[in-house]
Amino acid sequence: MYEIIYMKADYEPWWAFEGWEDNIQEKYMFVQEKEGIEHLNKILGEFREKFPLEKMKEDKYWVFWSDKEQCFCDSCDEDLQIYHGIIWNVI
């Protein structure tokens, strides 16, 4: 099985902080690797068109962001960057 997870949070997806699952926006499951990779490439292409900044880690995590998309953190009294993370899992 192959899984693609889209999460949106104020940290990159590879950190997987406790409770990170609460930030999942969408999840896709595939039996065939080829189908999964095709969908992954489609999603990555869409995010590359939408967001100017991108970083990849370990060939299974991608993060996209725009400096304009931030949220205010009351407890730390500052603006935090919002990240759109894509995770590729082989289950």
Side-chain angles (χ1 to χ4, degrees):
M1 294 287 291
Y2 302 89
E3 178 181 56
I4 300 169
I5 297 172
Y6 162 46
M7 64 175 282
K8 183 177 174 183
D10 59 2
Y11 54 87
E12 294 92 339
W14 47 81
W15 292 113
F17 293 125
E18 185 176 330
W20 73 271
E21 295 93 345
D22 296 338
N23 296 309
I24 293 174
Q25 304 293 304
E26 294 179 284
K27 203 184 254 195
Y28 307 92
M29 300 291 288
F30 301 91
V31 174
Q32 301 292 323
E33 181 180 23
K34 182 181 177 189
E35 275 185 72
I37 289 174
E38 286 174 359
H39 195 73
L40 175 65
N41 288 329
K42 179 181 179 238
I43 291 172
L44 294 176
E46 291 170 359
F47 276 69
R48 286 177 178 134
E49 286 182 20
K50 194 172 182 181
F51 299 102
L53 302 166
E54 174 185 355
K55 187 173 181 181
M56 183 191 50
K57 194 169 190 172
E58 298 177 23
D59 293 327
K60 67 178 189 173
Y61 299 106
W62 290 263
V63 67
F64 299 87
W65 71 98
S66 166
D67 290 334
K68 296 176 184 176
E69 190 176 12
Q70 298 182 357
C71 65
F72 186 75
C73 172
D74 290 325
S75 61
C76 53
D77 196 32
E78 65 181 333
D79 288 331
L80 300 177
Q81 182 64 55
I82 298 295
Y83 296 100
H84 299 269
I86 303 295
I87 304 168
W88 169 252
N89 276 330
V90 178
I91 302 171

